[in-house]
Amino acid sequence: MDERYDARKIEKKWQAVWNDSRLFKVDVQADKPKYYLLEMFPYPSGKIHMGHVRNYTIGDVVARYKRMQGYNVLHPMGWDAFGMPAENAAIANNTHPAVWTYQNIDYMRSQLMQLGFSYDWDREIATCKPDYYRWEQWLFLKMYAKGMAYRKESYVNWCDSCQTVLANEQVEAGQCWRCGRNVRQKKLSQWFFRISDYAEDLLLYCDRLPGWPDKVITMQKNWIGRSQGAEIRFAVENSDLVIPVFTTRHDTVFGATFMCLAPEHPMVPKLAEGTEQAAAVNAFIERISLQERTTRAIEGYEKEGVFTGRYCINPMNGRRMPVYTANFALMEYGTGAVMSVPAHDQRDFDFARKYGLTIVPVVNPADRQLDAEALQEAYTGDGIMINSGDFNGMPNRQAMEKIADLLESKDLGKRAVSFRLRDWGISRQRYWGAPIPVIHCESCGTVAVPEEDLPIVLPEDANLLEGGHSPLPTLAAFAQTTCPKCANPKARRETDTMDTFVESSWYFERYCSPHYQDGMFERQAVNYWMPVDQYIGGVEHAILHLLYSRYYTRVLHAMGLIDYKEPFTRLLTQGMVCKETLSCPRHGFLFPEQVNQAPDGPHCTLCNEKVAVGRVEKMSKSKRNVVDPNELLTRYGADTTRLFCLFAAPPERDLEWSDQGVEGSARFLNRVWRLACTWLDTVAGAAAYGGPADQLDEPLRGIYKKAHQTIEKVTRDIDDRFHFNTAISAVMELVNLMYTIEPPADAAGAQAGVMRHALETITLLLSPIVPHFCEEIWEALGHAQSTLAAAWPKPREDALTQDEVTIVVQVNGKLRGRFSVAVDTDEATLRQNALTDERVQKFIGSKGPKKVIVVKNKLVNIVA
């Protein structure tokens, strides 16, 4: 082994060995326990960034660790290649999405290989290839036949910049999740998946995911948003129309004095039609369509609305209620209609005061009588019913049940459950996506493409139109077709493509049998590998990808294709990689390489102006606070990069970038390398010691016991929490202890065996983290096979016992000293050692202690 650690040479060598030996290839082995480790696959956006490196390094450590523990590990990789991210990037770089995507896949694959990740590349998939998306087209046809996929006209979230529809989950603070531009409401015919049919089940199983972070479970529960209440029907005056309303406060129905409909509600134009209010209503609808229509945004708006010119009738008391369209009513909640009770809802109260509408209290608090004229705000608490007919005098919670009974008995309403979750709109008016397998015929209407015609292939030679618009509607070779029902030659294909989240909702199943041609996946392979044992990715996917994947899995289950409902047993959401921003007054944000360090601080290399060091924020190209992984690989190598990513912070927390931290990681590897070089000749030919610790003398016994304690610590840290940082720290302690032993001129006694055991322990414990580095040392130690073929070390119980413990000394509850003693030292000795400690005596004073409390093997607490 060379005395100098040459990372690039070693990493190139071992990557070639792994590739030539197909070390990471895996197949079903029914006699072996499986472990499916998966990181969320990337968009092929151009280059791997440090967020990718951290995510995939975490996953690779777990995959290698589990393999060494005897598991048959599936660890695949592929590309989330369709959708707006790839298309927008291609447009920005003035190239075709297909060309851009395939070039990036090749480049990013080479980057991942340089990092030494243990992927089975034989299972690589790209969602933009017909042999992948043909099967989601097939499932779409099955869903369409069962009514699980449908088309309707509705208001949708529209991004003018991206020229496409966005699902509710893809609108963040009123802006497009990809381009950050404002989103508006637009009425279009769209395809939807009935995810709402599974709302109850998705919610129920949130409590059956013990391996998921609480914050993700909470986010999913809130998004599904279950509410229990009643649906009440309000008849429109002089009309056959009825407005159904969902409310959780049906105890207040007698206090409903007006009705508010969401501007997107399909009944609003009908109500206003032919009235003097029609023009005002239409103008209001148009204006509100340009506003953000999320719950969070609406809470900040001033309440406003327009009278539709029509009235409805309160079914409980016959009150004539004016019907408004109002900006605070949301189509996504309940039925899109609000039974407005201004005395007991603050939004309704504000609206009523603004427009001079009637306020009628119907629930009195226990301590006072409500006066409608004197009310300064709505009363939203519990109390006693008033102004409510036969229900007067009842506690309002009791009245809820009685009112629900009355509604049902008179067919005026019913008990109901409502969910915030709305059906998933999958239509996208973009080119780079999977075609929806539907044909539109003037005679037959909407017709499913015959299965034998699948896949409907996206023409990859089509050029985008100006502004990035999809060419599919204008491409005769694609859009024009023959109706499979009536043979009409003028039928047209659906030119919308599927939301990219459809592709990512089942890719983990496809990995199980990626080359299978007779279905979405081979049943036997999926039964063996699924569900995913450990899934790793960003918390930003908590609602979008993770919820859709859970839904899609239920669809597959309902079709009888799989036997499970949940795709991911355990979930780790890693933190972000962050770095301080650097900005120049003339050139704005700067890349790190555009800054020079001077005695008076950092300066811009472009103009020599002083640079302002900003907040530590998530690495992003827009703020230029990024570190190029290629530069790290060139300067330090993959293993140093991997080590820093794991040592700098626990995986669930944000990692703050530190150049000094990277240097420190490189120094540690060189320190281990020198230790191995120092001892290789001494331990050559010696067998690793594996006997009892008590047969060894010091300092070898200390080394041997420390090695086993390190095994126990590293194993526990990886198993319990994936806390690789503390695992690495434990190995560092062992390395430091080994440096206290000088190798003899020639091996004597048990020393060679103990030091070989310690060296092999370090090598195996670090091998999932810095695999190339450890393969080189392992080979130098005389092993012919890879570290991956070695068993993960197990600690000896007798070597885990401690000879000494550290006793903490507190004076009046504050730490004032510590000392080491033999395990189980008697209390009198502990007391004496504490009281005679010079540092402790300064805090006791001349009067001596009032009380001394001794906790054996732990602490001495002195009350002075």
Side-chain angles (χ1 to χ4, degrees):
M1 195 168 85
D2 293 341
E3 289 189 8
R4 177 178 167 271
Y5 169 46
D6 186 337
R8 294 184 68 183
K9 176 182 175 183
I10 290 169
E11 288 166 9
K12 188 175 181 180
K13 166 188 170 181
W14 286 105
Q15 286 163 18
V17 170
W18 296 337
N19 184 62
D20 292 345
S21 65
R22 298 168 67 82
L23 182 63
F24 308 134
K25 180 174 172 54
V26 65
D27 293 303
V28 170
Q29 296 184 49
D31 60 339
K32 208 173 182 184
K34 67 92 179 180
Y35 193 88
Y36 189 171
L37 186 286
L38 183 63
E39 307 98 8
M40 295 179 185
F41 63 171
Y43 300 119
S45 54
K47 291 182 179 179
I48 293 296
H49 56 65
M50 287 310 303
H52 291 129
V53 174
R54 188 187 190 199
N55 184 357
Y56 303 150
T57 299
I58 291 168
D60 194 54
V61 173
V62 179
R64 289 173 177 271
Y65 169 69
K66 287 295 182 180
R67 180 164 173 175
M68 293 173 73
Q69 286 189 317
Y71 288 90
N72 189 28
V73 177
L74 175 59
H75 188 208
M77 177 51 68
W79 313 97
D80 193 6
F82 263 153
M84 284 192 292
E87 187 171 327
N88 287 347
I91 292 169
N93 287 273
N94 196 29
T95 188
H96 192 279
V99 174
W100 172 259
T101 297
Y102 292 125
Q103 285 179 348
N104 288 344
I105 285 174
D106 290 341
Y107 185 77
M108 292 171 73
R109 185 193 303 112
S110 70
Q111 285 186 297
L112 293 178
M113 287 180 169
Q114 287 179 64
L115 283 156
F117 297 137
S118 58
Y119 296 130
D120 180 357
W121 285 105
D122 287 349
R123 293 176 181 267
E124 180 184 13
I125 60 175
T127 61
C128 60
K129 292 187 175 180
D131 62 356
Y132 181 85
Y133 64 76
R134 71 165 292 180
W135 295 112
E136 70 189 50
Q137 290 177 339
W138 175 85
L139 189 67
F140 179 96
L141 296 179
K142 298 298 183 186
M143 294 173 70
Y144 179 64
K146 290 181 176 289
M148 302 167 83
Y150 66 96
R151 189 171 187 251
K152 72 172 183 178
E153 190 177 65
S154 68
Y155 279 96
V156 292
N157 302 305
W158 178 263
C159 176
D160 285 311
S161 174
C162 295
Q163 284 293 300
T164 194
V165 167
L166 303 173
N168 289 339
E169 297 88 342
Q170 294 168 324
V171 180
E172 300 171 352
Q175 296 177 330
C176 173
W177 72 293
R178 286 305 307 171
C179 71
R181 301 288 179 84
N182 287 339
V183 171
R184 66 183 178 92
Q185 298 295 297
K186 185 175 182 179
K187 201 169 189 178
L188 289 175
S189 290
Q190 297 288 289
W191 286 97
F192 292 85
F193 285 163
R194 291 191 192 276
I195 189 173
S196 60
D197 284 354
Y198 291 88
E200 190 78 64
D201 199 56
L202 288 165
L203 184 64
L204 176 67
Y205 273 76
C206 280
D207 293 324
R208 302 182 188 180
L209 297 170
W212 284 41
D214 289 342
K215 63 181 177 181
V216 175
I217 294 295
T218 299
M219 291 168 75
Q220 292 223 349
K221 283 183 175 181
N222 290 342
W223 191 260
I224 296 167
R226 187 181 192 275
S227 298
Q228 194 156 349
E231 184 180 287
I232 306 174
R233 293 187 288 277
F234 291 75
V236 177
E237 187 180 59
N238 301 321
S239 168
D240 293 333
L241 295 175
V242 173
I243 303 173
V245 172
F246 173 79
T247 177
T248 59
R249 290 295 308 272
H250 43 287
D251 56 319
T252 64
V253 63
F254 284 88
T257 59
F258 59 97
M259 178 74 67
C260 286
L261 303 184
E264 304 87 3
H265 199 295
M267 200 176 286
V268 172
K270 294 179 184 177
L271 292 173
E273 188 177 3
T275 73
E276 294 179 354
Q277 294 294 111
V281 168
N282 291 333
F284 181 78
I285 292 172
E286 180 63 26
R287 179 164 61 84
I288 298 302
S289 73
L290 302 177
Q291 295 180 356
E292 181 181 347
R293 298 289 291 152
T294 63
T295 303
R296 183 173 56 184
I298 285 171
E299 286 175 355
Y301 293 160
E302 180 184 350
K303 310 302 178 284
E304 60 174 327
V306 174
F307 178 45
T308 63
R310 302 294 292 274
Y311 292 82
C312 66
I313 306 302
N314 188 321
M316 300 303 286
N317 58 17
R319 178 184 291 277
R320 190 168 182 253
M321 299 166 50
V323 180
Y324 280 75
T325 178
N327 67 340
F328 67 85
L330 285 170
M331 198 64 214
E332 68 181 42
Y333 182 77
T335 64
V338 176
M339 172 190 88
S340 295
V341 185
H344 303 291
D345 182 278
Q346 192 59 43
R347 293 178 310 171
D348 297 345
F349 181 86
D350 294 340
F351 194 88
R353 283 283 190 249
K354 180 173 182 177
Y355 293 102
L357 299 168
T358 304
I359 298 175
V360 178
V362 291
V363 179
N364 255 345
D367 59 347
R368 68 186 192 278
Q369 297 289 315
L370 295 184
D371 179 354
E373 296 300 323
L375 277 180
Q376 297 300 309
E377 62 181 6
Y379 173 68
T380 59
D382 289 335
I384 303 300
M385 300 290 289
I386 60 170
N387 298 322
S388 300
D390 294 341
F391 303 100
N392 285 344
M394 282 188 190
N396 69 302
R397 294 292 163 180
Q398 180 184 342
M400 266 189 181
E401 291 303 309
K402 299 293 185 182
I403 289 172
D405 291 340
L406 182 63
L407 288 168
E408 291 179 341
S409 68
K410 292 192 173 186
D411 197 26
L412 299 172
K414 60 183 179 180
R415 288 176 173 84
V417 172
S418 180
F419 291 90
R420 181 184 178 218
L421 182 66
R422 287 293 182 259
D423 284 344
W424 176 11
I426 66 155
S427 293
R428 298 294 178 267
Q429 291 67 43
R430 298 298 293 254
Y431 159 69
W432 192 239
I436 296 174
V438 165
I439 292 169
H440 300 288
C441 173
E442 287 185 0
S443 303
C444 305
T446 302
V447 182
V449 169
E451 284 185 27
E452 59 267 23
D453 290 349
L454 298 181
I456 303 303
V457 177
L458 182 76
E460 292 190 0
D461 57 350
N463 293 315
L464 295 176
L465 303 181
E466 189 173 346
H469 292 199
S470 172
L472 297 181
T474 62
L475 201 65
F478 177 83
Q480 293 182 9
T481 188
T482 300
C483 174
K485 268 191 176 181
C486 70
N488 174 11
K490 294 183 179 181
R492 290 185 63 82
R493 289 195 190 282
E494 174 64 67
T495 55
D496 285 355
T497 53
M498 291 195 214
D499 181 7
T500 185
F501 283 101
V502 178
E503 280 87 66
S504 61
S505 292
W506 71 284
Y507 77 106
F508 35 87
E509 270 112 4
R510 186 64 180 173
Y511 277 142
C512 297
S513 50
H515 308 296
Y516 189 61
Q517 294 299 313
D518 297 326
M520 295 182 76
F521 39 75
E522 185 182 20
R523 185 69 177 261
Q524 180 184 0
V526 165
N527 285 346
Y528 177 74
W529 290 114
M530 287 295 292
V532 174
D533 294 282
Q534 181 66 62
Y535 200 32
I536 303 173
V539 73
E540 65 271 17
H541 300 292
I543 293 173
L544 288 164
H545 163 58
L546 291 173
L547 186 61
Y548 291 155
S549 296
R550 294 182 63 214
Y551 159 68
Y552 214 71
T553 301
R554 279 160 172 74
V555 172
L556 295 174
H557 182 267
M559 297 286 183
L561 299 174
I562 57 176
D563 299 326
Y564 52 90
K565 283 189 174 183
E566 290 295 341
F568 315 119
T569 302
R570 294 182 63 184
L571 173 69
L572 171 66
T573 52
Q574 88 282 354
M576 299 180 293
V577 181
C578 305
K579 195 178 189 303
E580 77 278 356
T581 57
L582 302 167
S583 60
C584 167
R586 288 178 60 187
H587 295 98
F589 288 118
L590 301 174
F591 290 109
E593 60 268 23
Q594 293 176 317
V595 177
N596 277 335
Q597 293 297 329
D600 63 338
H603 286 255
C604 175
T605 59
L606 304 175
C607 64
N608 206 37
E609 290 274 1
K610 285 201 71 172
V611 168
V613 179
R615 295 184 306 168
V616 173
E617 300 185 45
K618 176 185 176 182
M619 284 188 180
S620 68
K621 294 177 184 176
S622 62
K623 296 190 176 177
R624 302 192 171 188
N625 60 334
V626 293
V627 174
D628 186 352
N630 284 352
E631 293 182 11
L632 291 173
L633 292 174
T634 300
R635 184 174 178 184
Y636 296 103
D639 284 335
T640 294
T641 304
R642 291 168 61 120
L643 182 65
F644 171 73
C645 286
L646 297 168
F647 185 57
E652 72 277 7
R653 295 187 182 176
D654 290 348
L655 183 158
E656 185 174 337
W657 189 262
S658 165
D659 293 332
Q660 294 79 11
V662 180
E663 290 283 354
S665 296
R667 285 196 301 271
F668 171 65
L669 290 184
N670 277 285
R671 183 169 166 79
V672 176
W673 187 268
R674 289 193 301 272
L675 180 69
C677 288
T678 300
W679 282 96
L680 276 176
D681 289 342
T682 302
V683 304
Y689 181 75
D694 58 11
Q695 292 185 10
L696 298 170
D697 295 325
E698 293 293 353
L700 294 181
R701 182 169 61 182
I703 294 287
Y704 187 63
K705 294 187 75 170
K706 185 66 172 177
H708 282 282
Q709 289 163 9
T710 304
I711 293 169
E712 194 272 339
K713 167 71 171 164
V714 171
T715 303
R716 178 161 36 87
D717 283 349
I718 295 177
D719 273 342
D720 293 350
R721 305 172 298 166
F722 293 162
H723 277 200
F724 310 112
N725 56 326
T726 54
I728 294 166
S729 292
V731 177
M732 288 177 171
E733 290 180 14
L734 176 58
V735 170
N736 290 340
L737 186 61
M738 290 178 68
Y739 262 101
T740 65
I741 308 294
E742 290 290 335
D746 53 83
Q751 188 177 54
V754 170
M755 295 305 286
R756 169 177 274 276
H757 172 266
L759 266 180
E760 290 189 348
T761 295
I762 288 171
T763 305
L764 292 176
L765 295 183
L766 287 177
S767 64
I769 297 168
V770 286
H772 316 82
F773 177 89
C774 291
E775 291 278 34
E776 189 72 10
I777 295 177
W778 191 245
E779 183 184 61
L781 285 166
H783 297 281
Q785 289 189 306
S786 167
T787 54
L788 274 179
W792 184 259
K794 295 181 179 179
R796 282 183 64 101
E797 291 299 322
D798 67 294
L800 296 178
T801 57
Q802 290 180 284
D803 296 327
E804 287 190 343
V805 291
T806 298
I807 303 298
V808 171
V809 183
Q810 294 178 334
V811 179
N812 295 332
K814 293 185 178 181
L815 177 65
R816 298 306 186 191
R818 54 167 59 93
F819 57 88
S820 296
V821 295
V823 173
D824 293 333
T825 297
D826 63 87
E827 291 189 11
T829 303
L830 295 178
R831 177 189 175 104
Q832 181 180 358
N833 286 359
L835 293 175
T836 56
D837 187 305
E838 291 183 2
R839 292 167 298 176
V840 173
Q841 285 180 341
K842 291 189 298 184
F843 297 98
I844 297 176
S846 57
K847 293 182 179 180
K850 294 178 181 178
K851 189 177 182 181
V852 179
I853 302 168
V854 178
V855 180
K856 197 172 181 179
N857 292 328
K858 289 189 176 180
L859 64 85
V860 178
N861 189 13
I862 301 169
V863 180

